[in-house]
Amino acid sequence: MAMKLYGDEMSACVARVLLCLHEKNTEFELVPVNLFACHHKLPSFLSMNPFGKVPALQDDDLTLFESRAITAYIAEKHREKGTNLTRHEDSKEAAIVKLWSEVEAHHFNPAISAVIHQLIVVPLQGESPNAAIVEENLENLGKILDVYEERLGKTKYLAGDTYTLADLHHVPYTYYFMKTSHAGLINDRPNVKAWWEDLCSRPAFLKVSPGLTVAPTTN
């Protein structure tokens, strides 16, 4: 039976999982969850994720939530299929993948998601962005991207010379960020720009990107 992914394609966190599924050439079913109608707050969805956020994944008797936990599961379960996203055959290389995945989760994502929320989500709610929050997080993001610029001057991808989960996890929010007036933070750093252009040219991304049409929700 194919895995079932519950969520909306526009969600950056759902897109993160969709990218992984396509990279692994894995059969799945996307079960739509209407975020605007708050279907992620219904008891039927809360039974899968008590925090009421997308995505959720069902694979037989296993239910998972949190997008990075889901991608790690998919990459491990289907380690012999598609793109090698974890470098599992070498413990040191696998550790570097986990390291840069942690950097994305604890440094990059908090900054970029705060900017996206203010510039895209808040206006959709009929409110004005908080300029102070935007400025603070753009400053933080710039410092993080300076570290990336140095790293990507040494390796093609964050965890080495092959594409892994450490890169994949960055893609959806960066895609939304590049739609803002602050895309120069990426474009003005040549190594980061080349990395991003590589990421968004991958076949998996080209399958997922049409769904990234409205503001994301976070998880």
Side-chain angles (χ1 to χ4, degrees), residues 9-12 14-20 22 28 171-172 175 202-213:
E9 292 175 301
M10 72 176 182
S11 163
V14 173
R16 188 177 287 132
V17 177
L18 288 170
L19 284 169
C20 184
H22 286 301
F28 68 96
V171 172
Y175 175 80
R202 296 182 67 83
F205 175 79
L206 298 178
K207 293 178 181 178
V208 173
S209 59
L212 295 170
T213 57

Side-chain angles (χ1 to χ4, degrees), residues 153-186:
K154 300 174 182 176
T155 58
K156 183 176 181 180
Y157 299 99
L158 287 173
D161 290 323
T162 58
Y163 178 89
T164 67
L165 287 180
D167 307 290
L168 181 152
H169 287 168
H170 289 78
V171 172
Y173 272 116
T174 304
Y175 175 80
Y176 279 117
F177 184 81
M178 296 302 287
K179 300 294 184 182
T180 75
S181 61
H182 302 288
L185 281 179
I186 300 290

